[in-house]
Amino acid sequence: ALIVARALRPARSGLFSPDMVVNNDSVQVRFMVLRNQIQNGMGFLYNMEFTMQGMTINGQTVDMPLIRSKYALWRNSNNIITLRHSVKDASSPFNDGYPGGRQKVRDIFVTLSAMDMDGNSVLMSAIYLDPLLMDPVVEKKLRPFSRILHNHKFVDMYRIARHPESNQMASADPKFVCNLDNFIKMAPLKDGEPGFIMSSPDNPDSDNK
């Protein structure tokens, strides 16, 4: 019975990045497809739809529409999806123009609804927490958890393929190289660097709502 139960249990179809970044452009999280096999379609995902919502420290649920939330088909683990919610839009809870002013968003929820090649439903979710908006005692007990990191950016995963000796760009495919190790890597933004938010919670002088 145990073997049958394991066989019927669907394997993980995708993976969200362990942490989320926020800068003055957008809220970002990465997603990759797992177990894909180009030859037979195994692991392909169809009719993908992502949803993002936040919850403030006051328990208010806020919508966080994505710049692109739907994908007809995704099949390659080397092609990473970066989901983005624009903070420049006045409807964003991270924007000063939001009704009631910029919000203190402590939790962000991301979900995926899709289908696999056999027509089975695929559901995935991730929850990200802002450690700077949590009670220190609770934050310490919850470690490790998926964090919302302000004034950060994801490290690039792609680089141009070059000849190891001449350093010339590749003239035939593959022309780009994907470093999957960078899927989880982030880098802090420095004061004055493009994307830096002066009033983010990471700034000790911040008085944002």
Side-chain angles (χ1 to χ4, degrees), residues 106-107 127-131 134-147:
R106 184 189 60 197
D107 312 338
I127 302 175
Y128 299 88
L129 306 174
D130 191 330
M134 299 169 62
D135 180 277
V137 176
V138 175
E139 189 271 340
K140 187 174 182 179
K141 288 183 178 180
L142 285 179
R143 295 178 186 172
F145 57 88
S146 294
R147 303 166 296 171

Side-chain angles (χ1 to χ4, degrees), residues 36-82:
N36 63 300
Q37 296 180 19
I38 300 296
Q39 293 81 3
N40 56 22
M42 181 67 70
F44 288 17
L45 292 182
Y46 303 86
N47 299 332
M48 301 168 63
E49 183 168 3
F50 295 91
T51 303
M52 182 181 292
Q53 283 188 325
M55 181 173 290
T56 69
I57 58 174
N58 296 321
Q60 176 187 359
T61 299
V62 290
D63 290 332
M64 299 176 58
L66 296 167
I67 295 176
R68 174 176 291 179
S69 61
K70 296 181 179 181
Y71 295 82
L73 167 67
W74 210 259
R75 61 184 185 177
N76 194 334
S77 59
N78 292 329
N79 291 332
I80 306 303
I81 296 176
T82 300

Side-chain angles (χ1 to χ4, degrees), residues 54 56 60-65 85 87-105 209:
T56 69
Q60 176 187 359
T61 299
V62 290
D63 290 332
M64 299 176 58
H85 163 75
V87 302
K88 297 179 179 180
D89 194 316
S91 63
S92 170
F94 289 86
N95 190 286
D96 291 333
Y98 188 82
R102 184 170 16 172
Q103 303 295 300
K104 288 185 176 181
V105 180
K209 300 181 181 296

Side-chain angles (χ1 to χ4, degrees), residues 132 151 196-208:
L132 298 175
N151 283 330
F196 187 84
I197 305 174
M198 290 298 297
S199 57
S200 75
D202 289 44
N203 188 334
D205 297 326
S206 170
D207 59 354
N208 68 313

Side-chain angles (χ1 to χ4, degrees), residues 122-196:
V122 175
L123 299 174
M124 294 184 59
S125 65
I127 302 175
Y128 299 88
L129 306 174
D130 191 330
L132 298 175
L133 296 178
M134 299 169 62
D135 180 277
V137 176
V138 175
E139 189 271 340
K140 187 174 182 179
K141 288 183 178 180
L142 285 179
R143 295 178 186 172
F145 57 88
S146 294
R147 303 166 296 171
I148 302 171
L149 299 177
H150 295 263
N151 283 330
H152 278 68
K153 63 180 179 181
F154 281 114
V155 174
D156 289 339
M157 295 184 61
Y158 301 94
R159 64 177 177 83
I160 298 175
R162 295 181 180 275
H163 191 280
E165 296 181 358
S166 66
N167 201 37
Q168 291 185 344
M169 296 174 55
S171 57
D173 290 335
K175 296 182 179 181
F176 294 90
V177 177
C178 177
N179 185 349
L180 292 177
D181 289 340
N182 287 349
F183 176 76
I184 65 173
K185 294 182 179 180
M186 295 154 296
L189 293 170
K190 299 179 181 179
D191 189 356
E193 186 176 355
F196 187 84

